[in-house]
Amino acid sequence: GQINLWRAWGCGLYARVPGANLSGCIDDAILAEDGAIAILDYKTRGYPPKSGDSEIYYGAQLDTYGLLFQMNGHKINGKGYLVYYWPSSAGVYYSPSHSYIDFPFESTVVNLEVKPGRTLALIQRIVDVVAGEDPPKSATDCEYCDYIKSRHPV
């Protein structure tokens, strides 16, 4: 049904906001009884998530999906779920005699609030920077600014 379109590259969800075109393909969604949508996104990695990292690194992604749903006429319930999978510390089991490999994973779910308004504010900041003549000053707590400085010393 519809969810397969939301997942498909080249289809997905699209919207025009002031200064930008947005598009995205979701991993999954939960449809509540009242018709509201909760967003699911699957994450695979080599280790479990650290407390607070999900909001920092994936909050904007879920906010953007929420905005895309709203702008396409769908109600969201303000909830998002990041489902993390990582290899189990038990390791891989291989049985040559049975041509069998067991590669166990552990998992956890991190709940996030989905606030589409944050995406609009972020896009406006980006549009302002791109339209400006001078780049913004580096923030003292910006991990990306420090990374760039370490890679390209002046």
Side-chain angles (χ1 to χ4, degrees), residues 45 47 49-59 84:
R45 55 194 303 153
Y47 50 90
K50 295 177 187 165
S51 180
D53 279 0
S54 297
E55 295 82 356
I56 293 168
Y57 297 108
Y58 302 115
Y84 287 92

PDB file of all heavy atoms in Angstrom, residues 45 47 49-59 84:
ATOM      1  N   ARG A  45      24.659  -0.617  13.570  1.00  0.00           N
ATOM      2  CA  ARG A  45      25.967  -0.078  13.965  1.00  0.00           C
ATOM      3  C   ARG A  45      26.750  -1.160  14.684  1.00  0.00           C
ATOM      4  O   ARG A  45      26.228  -2.238  14.916  1.00  0.00           O
ATOM      5  CB  ARG A  45      25.767   1.161  14.827  1.00  0.00           C
ATOM      6  CG  ARG A  45      24.879   0.890  16.027  1.00  0.00           C
ATOM      7  CD  ARG A  45      24.368   2.110  16.730  1.00  0.00           C
ATOM      8  NE  ARG A  45      25.432   2.956  17.173  1.00  0.00           N
ATOM      9  CZ  ARG A  45      25.297   4.260  17.342  1.00  0.00           C
ATOM     10  NH1 ARG A  45      24.153   4.836  17.143  1.00  0.00           N
ATOM     11  NH2 ARG A  45      26.300   4.998  17.752  1.00  0.00           N
ATOM     12  N   TYR A  47      27.892  -1.000  17.793  1.00  0.00           N
ATOM     13  CA  TYR A  47      27.820  -0.872  19.252  1.00  0.00           C
ATOM     14  C   TYR A  47      26.458  -0.267  19.624  1.00  0.00           C
ATOM     15  O   TYR A  47      25.792   0.350  18.796  1.00  0.00           O
ATOM     16  CB  TYR A  47      28.947   0.020  19.762  1.00  0.00           C
ATOM     17  CG  TYR A  47      29.041   1.323  19.008  1.00  0.00           C
ATOM     18  CD1 TYR A  47      28.338   2.448  19.422  1.00  0.00           C
ATOM     19  CD2 TYR A  47      29.810   1.427  17.848  1.00  0.00           C
ATOM     20  CE1 TYR A  47      28.397   3.632  18.718  1.00  0.00           C
ATOM     21  CE2 TYR A  47      29.878   2.607  17.132  1.00  0.00           C
ATOM     22  CZ  TYR A  47      29.163   3.708  17.579  1.00  0.00           C
ATOM     23  OH  TYR A  47      29.219   4.891  16.862  1.00  0.00           O
ATOM     24  N   PRO A  49      23.647   2.329  21.178  1.00  0.00           N
ATOM     25  CA  PRO A  49      23.629   3.796  21.210  1.00  0.00           C
ATOM     26  C   PRO A  49      23.982   4.315  22.599  1.00  0.00           C
ATOM     27  O   PRO A  49      23.690   3.673  23.613  1.00  0.00           O
ATOM     28  CB  PRO A  49      22.190   4.142  20.848  1.00  0.00           C
ATOM     29  CG  PRO A  49      21.398   2.941  21.226  1.00  0.00           C
ATOM     30  CD  PRO A  49      22.310   1.765  21.022  1.00  0.00           C
ATOM     31  N   LYS A  50      24.625   5.479  22.621  1.00  0.00           N
ATOM     32  CA  LYS A  50      24.955   6.146  23.880  1.00  0.00           C
ATOM     33  C   LYS A  50      23.810   7.089  24.238  1.00  0.00           C
ATOM     34  O   LYS A  50      23.190   7.683  23.359  1.00  0.00           O
ATOM     35  CB  LYS A  50      26.255   6.933  23.741  1.00  0.00           C
ATOM     36  CG  LYS A  50      27.452   6.056  23.485  1.00  0.00           C
ATOM     37  CD  LYS A  50      28.698   6.897  23.282  1.00  0.00           C
ATOM     38  CE  LYS A  50      29.850   6.000  22.853  1.00  0.00           C
ATOM     39  NZ  LYS A  50      30.959   6.749  22.316  1.00  0.00           N
ATOM     40  N   SER A  51      23.560   7.242  25.508  1.00  0.00           N
ATOM     41  CA  SER A  51      22.488   8.116  25.979  1.00  0.00           C
ATOM     42  C   SER A  51      22.679   9.534  25.430  1.00  0.00           C
ATOM     43  O   SER A  51      23.773  10.101  25.520  1.00  0.00           O
ATOM     44  CB  SER A  51      22.481   8.146  27.505  1.00  0.00           C
ATOM     45  OG  SER A  51      21.466   8.983  27.969  1.00  0.00           O
ATOM     46  N   GLY A  52      21.629  10.092  24.846  1.00  0.00           N
ATOM     47  CA  GLY A  52      21.665  11.451  24.320  1.00  0.00           C
ATOM     48  C   GLY A  52      22.098  11.575  22.870  1.00  0.00           C
ATOM     49  O   GLY A  52      21.803  12.568  22.224  1.00  0.00           O
ATOM     50  N   ASP A  53      22.811  10.579  22.343  1.00  0.00           N
ATOM     51  CA  ASP A  53      23.295  10.660  20.961  1.00  0.00           C
ATOM     52  C   ASP A  53      22.169  10.628  19.934  1.00  0.00           C
ATOM     53  O   ASP A  53      22.258  11.259  18.888  1.00  0.00           O
ATOM     54  CB  ASP A  53      24.279   9.526  20.643  1.00  0.00           C
ATOM     55  CG  ASP A  53      25.684   9.815  21.136  1.00  0.00           C
ATOM     56  OD1 ASP A  53      25.908  10.899  21.724  1.00  0.00           O
ATOM     57  OD2 ASP A  53      26.557   8.954  20.919  1.00  0.00           O
ATOM     58  N   SER A  54      21.122   9.892  20.217  1.00  0.00           N
ATOM     59  CA  SER A  54      20.030   9.760  19.244  1.00  0.00           C
ATOM     60  C   SER A  54      19.405  11.109  18.930  1.00  0.00           C
ATOM     61  O   SER A  54      19.151  11.437  17.771  1.00  0.00           O
ATOM     62  CB  SER A  54      18.960   8.805  19.766  1.00  0.00           C
ATOM     63  OG  SER A  54      19.516   7.516  19.925  1.00  0.00           O
ATOM     64  N   GLU A  55      19.151  11.905  19.959  1.00  0.00           N
ATOM     65  CA  GLU A  55      18.558  13.224  19.765  1.00  0.00           C
ATOM     66  C   GLU A  55      19.485  14.117  18.942  1.00  0.00           C
ATOM     67  O   GLU A  55      19.043  14.820  18.039  1.00  0.00           O
ATOM     68  CB  GLU A  55      18.263  13.898  21.116  1.00  0.00           C
ATOM     69  CG  GLU A  55      17.222  13.192  21.944  1.00  0.00           C
ATOM     70  CD  GLU A  55      17.754  11.994  22.749  1.00  0.00           C
ATOM     71  OE1 GLU A  55      18.940  11.627  22.629  1.00  0.00           O
ATOM     72  OE2 GLU A  55      16.967  11.406  23.488  1.00  0.00           O
ATOM     73  N   ILE A  56      20.776  14.061  19.264  1.00  0.00           N
ATOM     74  CA  ILE A  56      21.745  14.918  18.585  1.00  0.00           C
ATOM     75  C   ILE A  56      21.875  14.544  17.112  1.00  0.00           C
ATOM     76  O   ILE A  56      21.856  15.407  16.241  1.00  0.00           O
ATOM     77  CB  ILE A  56      23.123  14.820  19.277  1.00  0.00           C
ATOM     78  CG1 ILE A  56      23.058  15.425  20.678  1.00  0.00           C
ATOM     79  CG2 ILE A  56      24.210  15.494  18.441  1.00  0.00           C
ATOM     80  CD1 ILE A  56      24.274  15.119  21.541  1.00  0.00           C
ATOM     81  N   TYR A  57      22.021  13.263  16.830  1.00  0.00           N
ATOM     82  CA  TYR A  57      22.349  12.839  15.475  1.00  0.00           C
ATOM     83  C   TYR A  57      21.146  12.485  14.603  1.00  0.00           C
ATOM     84  O   TYR A  57      21.256  12.527  13.375  1.00  0.00           O
ATOM     85  CB  TYR A  57      23.336  11.673  15.517  1.00  0.00           C
ATOM     86  CG  TYR A  57      24.647  12.075  16.143  1.00  0.00           C
ATOM     87  CD1 TYR A  57      25.005  11.622  17.396  1.00  0.00           C
ATOM     88  CD2 TYR A  57      25.503  12.957  15.494  1.00  0.00           C
ATOM     89  CE1 TYR A  57      26.202  12.021  17.988  1.00  0.00           C
ATOM     90  CE2 TYR A  57      26.695  13.361  16.072  1.00  0.00           C
ATOM     91  CZ  TYR A  57      27.037  12.885  17.324  1.00  0.00           C
ATOM     92  OH  TYR A  57      28.212  13.294  17.895  1.00  0.00           O
ATOM     93  N   TYR A  58      20.027  12.134  15.187  1.00  0.00           N
ATOM     94  CA  TYR A  58      18.889  11.684  14.377  1.00  0.00           C
ATOM     95  C   TYR A  58      17.597  12.441  14.630  1.00  0.00           C
ATOM     96  O   TYR A  58      16.608  12.203  13.947  1.00  0.00           O
ATOM     97  CB  TYR A  58      18.655  10.183  14.579  1.00  0.00           C
ATOM     98  CG  TYR A  58      19.874   9.371  14.227  1.00  0.00           C
ATOM     99  CD1 TYR A  58      20.558   8.654  15.204  1.00  0.00           C
ATOM    100  CD2 TYR A  58      20.354   9.347  12.923  1.00  0.00           C
ATOM    101  CE1 TYR A  58      21.687   7.920  14.881  1.00  0.00           C
ATOM    102  CE2 TYR A  58      21.484   8.614  12.598  1.00  0.00           C
ATOM    103  CZ  TYR A  58      22.144   7.908  13.582  1.00  0.00           C
ATOM    104  OH  TYR A  58      23.252   7.187  13.261  1.00  0.00           O
ATOM    105  N   GLY A  59      17.571  13.343  15.595  1.00  0.00           N
ATOM    106  CA  GLY A  59      16.359  14.111  15.871  1.00  0.00           C
ATOM    107  C   GLY A  59      15.886  14.902  14.665  1.00  0.00           C
ATOM    108  O   GLY A  59      14.693  14.900  14.334  1.00  0.00           O
ATOM    109  N   TYR A  84      17.626   0.381  17.034  1.00  0.00           N
ATOM    110  CA  TYR A  84      19.054   0.115  16.833  1.00  0.00           C
ATOM    111  C   TYR A  84      19.334  -1.384  16.868  1.00  0.00           C
ATOM    112  O   TYR A  84      18.800  -2.101  17.715  1.00  0.00           O
ATOM    113  CB  TYR A  84      19.880   0.750  17.955  1.00  0.00           C
ATOM    114  CG  TYR A  84      19.991   2.242  17.885  1.00  0.00           C
ATOM    115  CD1 TYR A  84      19.091   3.065  18.549  1.00  0.00           C
ATOM    116  CD2 TYR A  84      21.016   2.849  17.162  1.00  0.00           C
ATOM    117  CE1 TYR A  84      19.207   4.446  18.514  1.00  0.00           C
ATOM    118  CE2 TYR A  84      21.143   4.215  17.111  1.00  0.00           C
ATOM    119  CZ  TYR A  84      20.231   5.009  17.794  1.00  0.00           C
ATOM    120  OH  TYR A  84      20.359   6.373  17.744  1.00  0.00           O
TER     121      TYR A  84
END
